[in-house]
Structures are given as C-alpha cells and as structure tokens.
Amino acid sequence: MGQSQSDGNLRRRSRADLAQELAAKFKDKCFTSLEFYSLRDVFNSLADQQGSVRYLKEDTIACYLEIPDILGASPVIFQMVSYLGAFPFLQESPVVLELPQLTMVIVIMTERYKRVLARGSTDRTKLIFKSLAVYDRNASEGNAQAPPAPTVSADDASKGASGAGFTVDLPGEDESCEDEDDDDDDDDDDDLVLTAFELLDVTEAAAVKQGGAPEFHGAMIPTDNFRKLLMLLLLAAPLDAQESLSQYSNRVSGTELERLRATAECILAAFVDVERTPGIRYSRFKKVIPTLFPNLFRSFNALFEHFLFSNNLDFSKHRDDDAGKGNESTHKPAQPLLSDRGDILNDHMLSQISLFLPGSSLFRRVRRLYSGNDAGFSMGSFDSKVFNWRAPTILLVSGTILSEIPSGGQESSFADSLPTKRYRNGTKSGRVTFGVYVREPWRHTHRECFGDSETVLFQLEPVHDVFPASTINTDYVAFTKPPGNKPCLSFGAPHPKPRKSSSRTDTHYSMGAVSLLLNDSFELGVFNHDYTSRGGAFRTSISRRYDFQDRFEIDQLEVWGCGGDGEAKAQAERWAWEEREAEARRKINLGTGDIEADRALLEMAGLVGANRSGGSMA
C-alpha cells in the first residue's frame, strides 16, 4: 500500500516539479531572504529571454564574474554550472540555467553545500569531478569506434544549454574501470542522489526509479581544461565576495601570466603525468585533494557569491552617485597581497600555499623576516632576523638539482656527510622549491627538536606535494650550532647527537624518512623521501609512492612571518597611506596659467629655488 502511494505521488510530481521543489529547499536552507532577493535581482538584470524562459548564457556569466579571456576558463566554468544545474537528475545535463538551476549551482559551488549534502566535501568533490569530466570510450573499449558526440540544436545553443569547445561521449554500457575504487564510487552515486530526495520526502525506491548520475567508468578530466581552471582558482584565491576579479588584472599579463601558468603546471603535476596520461581519473582526484589541496575550490565561494550582491541593494552608495564614480571604484586596484617582494615568494605562490594553509593567515598578513640575499646566508643572520618573531612562520628554500657525481670539494664534503644509502633523484634537473610551516616560535635546540603536530613540510615546484606532521616521532625542527652539536637546520631528521668538545671528527648527518636538511652555510640542501619506511615526523607522499632523494645547491632562502589581525591592520594602513600620498602627488596642479606666479608661490613654500629651507616667514 505504501509503495502504491509513493508511485502515485511520483506520477503527480514530474522531474521538473521535483527539481523546482529541491531548488526551493536549497533556497530556504542556504540563503537569507535578503540574499535570495539579491540573487533574483541579479538574475533578472542579466538574463536573456526566449519565449517564457529566462536564462543565463556563457558569455553573460563570464562577463559578470569578470573571468579574464586570456585564461580560457569561461567554457570550463560554463560546462560545470550547466552540469551542476541538473542536480539531482544529472543525466539530463547540460541544462538551461534558469533561476532554480542557478540557485542549486551557487549552493554546490560555495560553502553552503555543507547544509544540504549529507557527506559534505565528499559529495561535493564527486559532483565537481563529474562536472569537469568527459567520457573516453576509446580508453575503455580499446580500438572500438566511438560514436559521434551528441549535437545541439540551434535553439538549445541560443539558450546556452551547452558550453562550446567540449566533445563529450556518453559512457558505454560495458566500460572497464581504471581501478577497484571506481566500483565503490558508482555505488556512492545513488547515496548522493538519495540525499537530495530525502529533502523532498521521496522514498528510496522512488528515488532509484528517477535514475542517478552517469557512471565513473571511462570518465576523466582533460588536463588542458583542468589547467585553465587551476589558473582561475589561483587568481581568485584571495578574492573577497564584494571584490572584483578585475582588480587583479595585473596578475594575468606579461611575466606575471607566465608565473601563473608555471604555478598551475606544478599543481597539475600532482594530479597527472601530462606526458603519459591525457586526463585525471576520479580515483586520483579524490585521493589527492583532501591532503594536498583541501582549499582548492574555496575560490568558488567569493566568485559565485557575487550573485548575492546586487548593485541595487548596495547601501554603501548614495542613489545620486554618478556612474563615473561607480566605475572608478570598480577598477580601483586591490591592496597588494605581499607587503614586501620576495626572492622566492610571489602572489601566485602565495595562492598556491593557500590551497593547503588557511588563506586568512596569508593574504596581506605576511611579512618578510629574513632573506639570504639581503642578510647573508649564515645561521647567525638567520637567528637575528627570525628568532624574535613570536607568531607562525613559513620558510622557503629554492635551489638547483646537483648532478649525481659531486663536482668540487664542497659538494664532495657534503655528500660524504650524508648516509651512504641514496635513492634515485625525484627531479632529474632544474629548480626545486621546498617549504615548511612552523607554528611555534624559533629557538636553538641542544638535545631535542621543537615544533608540534601543526608543522607542515611541503614542496612547491616542480611538483606540488604536502607532507603533514605525523605522530611516529616529534623530530619536527632542529636548529643546532657549534660547538655542542654538528651545525645544521633540519626538518623531520633526528636531532644531531651532542659531540664532545675534544672531538674534531664530524659525524654524519642523520636523515629522517621524510626530511629536509640544510648545511650550516646554507649553500647545500637535501630532501629525503623514504616511502618504504612509511614515514617519520612527517608522512610520506600520497601522490609519489616511491623512494627518492633530491640534493640541491641553494639559490634563495627566506622566512616569512604570518601576522595576526594587528599585522594585517598595519599593512592595510601603510598601503592606504601610500595610496593617499600617490593620489595627492597626482593631483598637485596649481593651474593659474602664470608660470612665474606659480614659481614664486613654490619658492615661498620652500619647494624650489634658493629658499628651500621652508615656508616660514618668521
């Protein structure tokens, strides 16, 4: 009897009705009345109309979010939103973006998803992967000929129902999965869809009849599409919901654009070997993100919450403000992300670090404490610049990979001081950059290391990797100086054993399973990754499951202090003062038209001529 009631209920409620009801549930659970009023106002101001249907097109969304054309990310974003707008009937994607569909897109793309998705970030990661994925039937069916991609009618194209530039094959019925994880992922799809139906009071049996999402078999994210998305996410990482993305236009031109691309390549290398694989599989995607990129999609928060701020409800402006003033404020440059320019750290690398450390303690809140190029590459100068900082710090070191056979006495001496057992190089040649986040204040160590479980060891280039602290041991940070210890700066390595003052023979450095060690002159360093041992003070890599070791000559070394609210306020005030001074200099214009009179006035003020001592007439 209960089943017949459920079937009757479904006959009365079509998929369109259920989607409308779900959008209403999302609205009630995730938006305030003012936010939804703003969303509706923004939608009405942007929407095109065909017949009775009001919808958003790809170029409209790209223009409103101010996505730079040079990134090529607009089609990728539109593919995502056209897919997510079909939730929970994902097989019907891509869909026309009407207001109900846009409502669900904003919920899923922002932190608001936590209020409606039962398994939170797990469900969201799955949805984002599927919104980016295409289905490679050739990969799953060998040499079988794939059918042509489905075509889109002219009417659908005009409605923006599908993004341009993507060829998507529907999954085959008997595709083979990449690994055993994909079988579980397909089973989880029903759970995700059922979560949506629970909000609508539809029984499980009825939900299954509605159909789930496409399977994972053969699905992959094309590397080129993901590269474009990564560049956008890095650009938008420091964005506030009421900030304009165009304020960061200086980061997508000239050498800054090249740096942005290079940073995206380092991140992409953690997901896929671009020389061997054309795309990213879900098993890899879901494994890498929680540890290496827990904040990867946080950029979507501010980007899509732009839809919740209508200009018609901007109470900070007077109604009689002219359009010129509005445009002037819109294109005003953003406060610099870094108060000082670093030899290693730049805006894009700071965005990269924010993918696994909280951006709230990074953007406009860090200051350079030590630079080897400025203060000298020595433990003494490091001590004097860093040890008085009482807040968390980030150490960055970059260098050039050494050849396997040491050249010169210094390299040979350093090689002799390391354990004889050596693994293959993790990087064949070129530049490497490593870093460490240290929450505790720095101090000298004599017998024991310092640091805590919040310490993070990481690599930024040529491949992004993160090695969180472990509880196997607490050998997090050692800073040793003679004569009591063999001098070095190490992370994850056992503390050097105290040596007798009469001993003239230096002992070998001890290497931890996952460790970074710099010699006392800060000229040479080594990163060790013993995957076989399963880690030490830091966990082994989840993306590179093998043993390797990189020895490098240090080119740059710097330490940045992560300030709190006080440091952020000081930086903001300093930047605001500099802006006011620059604006005042730009506006200096006597404008009398009489050059001699202007000069006489400047001489009286003591700014030019012989009377430059001041303007006092006493």
Side-chain angles (χ1 to χ4, degrees):
M1 181 175 179
Q3 181 65 42
S4 62
Q5 289 178 347
S6 177
D7 292 341
N9 185 41
L10 282 176
R11 282 193 293 270
R12 292 191 300 270
R13 300 161 73 187
S14 65
R15 287 192 177 189
D17 293 335
L18 290 171
Q20 290 279 352
E21 290 184 39
L22 184 61
K25 292 281 187 179
F26 275 34
K27 179 198 75 171
D28 295 338
K29 286 180 173 289
C30 303
F31 300 113
T32 65
S33 57
L34 183 60
E35 286 174 335
F36 189 74
Y37 182 89
S38 298
L39 172 60
R40 186 168 53 194
D41 186 69
V42 170
F43 177 84
N44 290 333
S45 66
L46 298 176
D48 286 80
Q49 185 164 354
Q50 185 166 336
S52 61
V53 178
R54 296 178 62 83
Y55 60 94
L56 297 184
K57 297 190 297 186
E58 176 185 326
D59 56 351
T60 303
I61 294 175
C63 183
Y64 182 72
L65 298 181
E66 298 181 319
I67 300 174
D69 293 338
I70 197 168
L71 299 184
S74 297
V76 181
I77 292 295
F78 194 71
Q79 177 188 353
M80 295 181 70
V81 299
S82 299
Y83 179 90
L84 296 175
F87 184 80
F89 306 107
L90 300 175
Q91 283 186 327
E92 296 185 354
S93 64
V95 296
V96 176
L97 281 178
E98 300 178 71
L99 182 58
Q101 286 73 32
L102 182 62
T103 300
M104 288 187 282
V105 166
I106 293 174
V107 170
I108 295 172
M109 293 290 258
T110 64
E111 296 290 332
R112 299 163 193 265
Y113 72 88
K114 297 177 181 178
R115 305 176 193 175
V116 291
L117 296 182
R119 295 192 299 172
S121 60
T122 302
D123 283 346
R124 190 207 193 195
T125 298
K126 186 182 306 176
L127 285 170
I128 288 179
F129 175 85
K130 290 195 165 199
S131 71
L132 289 164
V134 299
Y135 291 88
D136 182 9
R137 296 192 65 179
N138 289 332
S140 59
E141 297 180 358
N143 296 324
Q145 182 67 32
T151 58
V152 181
S153 67
D155 290 340
D156 288 340
S158 67
K159 293 180 182 180
S162 65
F166 295 96
T167 301
V168 182
D169 288 339
L170 295 176
E173 294 180 358
D174 57 346
E175 292 176 323
S176 60
C177 60
E178 182 190 30
D179 54 38
E180 65 276 6
D181 291 339
D182 285 348
D183 293 331
D184 296 334
D185 298 329
D186 293 333
D187 294 336
D188 291 342
D189 286 342
D190 288 337
D191 295 336
L192 192 152
V193 176
L194 291 175
T195 299
F197 280 101
E198 287 173 2
L199 295 174
L200 301 175
D201 297 323
V202 178
T203 65
E204 180 174 339
V208 173
K209 287 185 179 182
Q210 296 300 312
E215 296 178 347
F216 278 97
H217 300 324
M220 67 169 63
I221 302 175
T223 54
D224 189 51
N225 293 353
F226 198 61
R227 182 185 294 109
K228 295 172 182 177
L229 180 64
L230 288 175
M231 293 174 67
L232 176 62
L233 293 175
L234 288 169
L235 180 65
L239 192 68
D240 183 79
Q242 297 191 59
E243 278 188 318
S244 167
L245 196 58
S246 63
Q247 291 179 292
Y248 299 97
S249 58
N250 62 311
R251 295 176 58 193
V252 289
S253 61
T255 56
E256 287 298 311
L257 178 60
E258 294 304 314
R259 289 175 179 172
L260 177 60
R261 285 199 179 104
T263 304
E265 286 295 336
C266 296
I267 297 172
L268 185 62
F271 286 93
V272 65
D273 184 344
V274 294
E275 296 181 356
R276 295 183 179 181
T277 310
I280 305 166
R281 300 285 185 179
Y282 180 66
S283 57
R284 178 78 168 186
F285 190 76
K286 73 170 185 177
K287 183 182 297 182
V288 164
I289 283 181
T291 301
L292 272 57
F293 310 101
N295 306 327
L296 179 62
F297 301 116
R298 190 161 292 177
S299 300
F300 286 143
N301 290 343
L303 201 60
F304 280 88
E305 285 190 353
H306 273 69
F307 286 101
L308 306 181
F309 293 93
S310 170
N311 290 333
N312 296 330
L313 295 177
D314 189 349
F315 301 116
S316 64
K317 294 182 180 180
H318 295 290
R319 291 183 178 273
D320 57 351
D321 282 352
D322 57 60
K325 292 182 180 179
N327 292 335
E328 182 179 348
S329 63
T330 300
H331 295 90
K332 185 177 180 180
Q335 178 186 343
L337 303 180
L338 292 170
S339 59
D340 305 300
R341 279 292 166 187
D343 300 313
I344 303 176
L345 189 63
N346 55 49
D347 292 351
H348 308 304
M349 188 172 286
L350 190 66
S351 293
Q352 182 182 0
I353 295 173
S354 75
L355 300 182
F356 59 92
L357 293 179
S360 58
S361 62
L362 298 175
F363 298 119
R364 306 181 182 94
R365 290 174 180 259
V366 296
R367 57 176 294 187
R368 189 172 60 169
L369 304 177
Y370 165 81
S371 170
N373 283 344
D374 295 339
F377 290 88
S378 70
M379 299 187 77
S381 58
F382 186 102
D383 180 341
S384 63
K385 296 290 185 180
V386 177
F387 276 45
N388 289 329
W389 185 259
R390 313 313 296 173
T393 52
I394 295 175
L395 177 143
L396 297 173
V397 57
S398 66
T400 306
I401 292 293
L402 299 173
S403 60
E404 294 190 13
I405 301 176
S407 60
Q410 189 175 24
E411 289 185 22
S412 298
S413 177
F414 182 66
D416 292 340
S417 68
L418 299 176
T420 55
K421 181 181 179 181
R422 180 180 177 181
Y423 304 118
R424 63 170 177 165
N425 285 350
T427 303
K428 295 180 181 179
S429 62
R431 177 184 171 94
V432 291
T433 299
F434 296 96
V436 187
Y437 171 79
V438 182
R439 192 178 68 165
E440 292 187 358
W442 285 75
R443 59 183 173 86
H444 294 101
T445 58
H446 302 285
R447 293 181 179 274
E448 295 181 350
C449 299
F450 72 92
D452 59 16
S453 59
E454 299 296 320
T455 309
V456 181
L457 178 62
F458 55 89
Q459 183 173 359
L460 297 178
E461 61 177 333
V463 57
H464 180 107
D465 212 338
V466 179
F467 313 92
S470 171
T471 55
I472 295 178
N473 63 60
T474 57
D475 298 330
Y476 299 121
V477 186
F479 189 95
T480 58
K481 298 180 70 173
N485 300 97
K486 184 176 178 64
C488 71
L489 172 57
S490 65
F491 307 90
H495 194 280
K497 295 180 179 179
R499 61 185 184 186
K500 297 180 180 179
S501 58
S502 59
S503 175
R504 295 184 179 181
T505 304
D506 287 340
T507 59
H508 284 79
Y509 290 117
S510 297
M511 299 298 298
V514 180
S515 59
L516 174 67
L517 184 144
L518 313 181
N519 70 348
D520 60 324
S521 62
F522 293 159
E523 293 177 301
L524 298 169
V526 56
F527 177 80
N528 191 66
H529 183 259
D530 183 358
Y531 182 80
T532 307
S533 68
R534 313 306 294 176
F538 298 99
R539 300 175 191 170
T540 55
S541 172
I542 63 169
S543 60
R544 293 180 287 177
R545 305 172 69 175
Y546 53 86
D547 302 332
F548 66 89
Q549 185 179 99
D550 283 330
R551 299 180 183 182
F552 55 94
E553 181 181 7
I554 297 174
D555 298 327
Q556 312 286 352
L557 176 65
E558 57 191 32
V559 179
W560 293 77
C562 302
D565 293 337
E567 177 62 26
K569 182 179 179 181
Q571 286 194 30
E573 290 176 349
R574 183 165 58 249
W575 177 77
W577 180 84
E578 292 173 354
E579 281 293 298
R580 288 195 299 270
E581 289 296 302
E583 183 66 20
R585 289 192 295 270
R586 287 192 294 268
K587 289 183 177 180
I588 291 178
N589 181 14
L590 298 178
T592 63
D594 188 336
I595 297 177
E596 293 300 325
D598 289 348
R599 180 174 179 82
L601 183 59
L602 292 173
E603 286 180 350
M604 290 177 62
L607 299 177
V608 299
N611 301 322
R612 296 187 63 181
S613 60
S616 174
M617 300 181 65

